[in-house]
Amino acid sequence: ASAMAMVRKIIEHHKCPITHQLLVDPVVAEDGHVYERRALETWLVTKRTSPTTNRPMGCAVVPALSARQTVSDLVEEGMLDTETSLNFFNDRGRLRATRTTVPGPDLDGAKKDFQRALTLAKSPTERKAAEFQLEAVAWMQEGAALCVRSQRLQSEAGGQSFDLRNWMLDLGDAARSAVTGPLLEAMRMSEWEDLPKGSRVRALDDAGELQRLCERPPAEAEAKVGWNAEMLGFAGKVCTVQRVGDASHKNYILRREAPPAGRDFSFPYDALFLLE
C-alpha cells in the first residue's frame, strides 16, 4: 500500500501545473518548474509570468529529460490506470508523428504508441480512433518511402531531364493542402465576433491571399487593416488573440504562438480559422 501511495505521489508531481495532465513533452521553465511544452508556450504568448508563482518570467526553456524518462517508465511498466495510460500513448504518439524539429517525425515510435493505445482501448470509439491514427502513420510511412524511391530514380536518371526531386517537394505541399484544406475550411471564420484574449486562430496559408484580404475591407467593415511585409510570417501560423479590434475594421490583434513571437499585427476575421 505504501509503495502505491508513493507511485501516486510521483505521478502527481509529474503533471503539468497548467493542464493538470501527465507530462508528455516536459520542459523546465525559468521559474525552475516543469511544464508541458506546448501548454507553456501558449501561456507565455499572453502572459509573461510564471504559471506557478505568478512572478515575471521569460520564455527560455530546456527539456526536462529526467521527468520525461520517469513518466515513460511509469507508463511502460503498467503503473498507471488504463485511462491515463491510454491518453498518454495517444498524446505521445501524436507528438512523435507531428514533430517538425530535427530529426523530424518519429513514425516508428508513433506506430508503437498507437498500437499500445489500441490494446488499452475499451470503447468502440477509442478503438476506432487508435486504428485511424495507425492508418495515418502508415500513410506517412508510405509517403516517406516514395521520397526515397524518387531520390533513387533521380540518381539513376543521371543527366536526363527527370526532375522528380523538386516535383516531390511540390507534391508534399499539395498533399498538405489536400489533407488540411477541408478541415480548415470548416473552421473558417464567417463573422466577426467577440473572442476572448488567448483564443487560438490560424492565418491563411496562402500568403498572397492573406495579403489581398488585408488590403481590402471585410464584409460590412468600413476600412482595411493594411499590409506590412512582416505580416508574411503569419501565413499558416497558429496565433493567439491579444485583443479584439474595432467594428470599422472587423479585425483581431494577433501574436504568433510559436517563438519567436515578434510583433503583434492586425488581421481581418475572414483571413482566419478559429481553432478553439
Side-chain angles (χ1 to χ4, degrees):
S2 59
M4 289 307 300
M6 180 61 69
V7 169
R8 285 194 292 270
K9 183 177 291 186
I10 293 173
I11 292 171
E12 286 303 313
H13 287 167
H14 286 78
K15 289 184 177 180
C16 174
I18 300 173
T19 66
H20 305 293
Q21 300 296 316
L22 201 62
L23 294 163
V24 177
D25 185 19
V27 293
V28 181
E30 291 184 8
D31 62 358
H33 292 277
V34 179
Y35 303 91
E36 186 65 27
R37 183 189 297 273
R38 180 174 176 181
L40 181 62
E41 288 176 349
T42 302
W43 174 281
L44 291 175
V45 168
T46 56
K47 307 175 183 70
R48 297 296 183 182
T49 58
S50 161
T52 303
T53 68
N54 204 34
R55 294 176 180 173
M57 186 177 78
C59 299
V61 299
V62 294
L65 301 180
S66 178
R68 180 188 300 172
Q69 188 62 51
T70 297
V71 173
S72 179
D73 289 344
L74 287 171
V75 179
E76 297 288 353
E77 293 298 324
M79 303 298 289
L80 281 68
D81 63 88
T82 300
E83 182 179 357
T84 302
S85 297
L86 173 64
N87 291 336
F88 174 83
F89 284 121
N90 276 327
D91 290 343
R92 190 174 69 176
R94 292 172 182 174
L95 182 68
R96 284 173 161 175
T98 56
R99 185 175 62 194
T100 56
T101 55
V102 176
D106 176 11
L107 298 181
D108 289 335
K111 181 179 179 180
K112 291 177 181 178
D113 281 341
F114 293 144
Q115 287 173 334
R116 292 291 298 274
L118 183 58
T119 63
L120 293 169
K122 292 183 177 180
S123 70
T125 300
E126 290 172 344
R127 286 192 291 273
K128 288 179 180 178
E131 290 168 351
F132 176 82
Q133 290 169 152
L134 282 168
E135 289 178 16
V137 169
W139 172 72
M140 292 179 68
Q141 289 176 319
E142 290 175 6
L146 281 174
C147 287
V148 172
R149 285 179 57 194
S150 73
Q151 291 176 328
R152 185 168 60 249
L153 288 171
Q154 185 75 52
S155 178
E156 292 172 356
Q160 299 181 44
S161 179
F162 199 61
D163 193 1
L164 280 178
R165 185 181 296 110
N166 287 331
W167 183 70
M168 286 298 293
L169 291 173
D170 292 339
L171 193 63
D173 292 337
R176 178 187 178 190
S177 178
V179 171
T180 62
L183 296 174
L184 285 174
E185 200 57 39
M187 297 184 285
R188 183 82 172 264
M189 295 190 68
S190 59
E191 60 182 8
W192 186 60
E193 55 186 282
D194 186 15
L195 296 179
K197 181 178 180 180
S199 297
R200 301 176 73 237
V201 298
R202 176 172 170 169
L204 283 172
D205 286 63
D206 188 328
E209 178 65 6
L210 182 63
Q211 180 176 351
R212 186 188 73 80
L213 293 176
C214 290
E215 291 181 332
R216 64 91 179 96
E220 300 182 7
E222 300 172 3
K224 63 183 180 181
V225 301
W227 181 257
N228 181 302
E230 292 183 59
M231 296 167 71
L232 184 65
F234 281 73
K237 302 299 183 183
V238 176
C239 309
T240 53
V241 174
Q242 300 304 298
R243 67 178 187 275
V244 178
D246 55 74
S248 63
H249 294 87
K250 294 190 180 297
N251 61 322
Y252 300 97
I253 312 304
L254 305 181
R255 181 177 298 168
R256 281 183 301 185
E257 189 170 284
R263 293 174 55 193
D264 298 346
F265 282 99
S266 171
F267 289 88
Y269 74 88
D270 56 356
L272 306 173
F273 304 100
L274 182 59
L275 302 182
E276 57 183 39

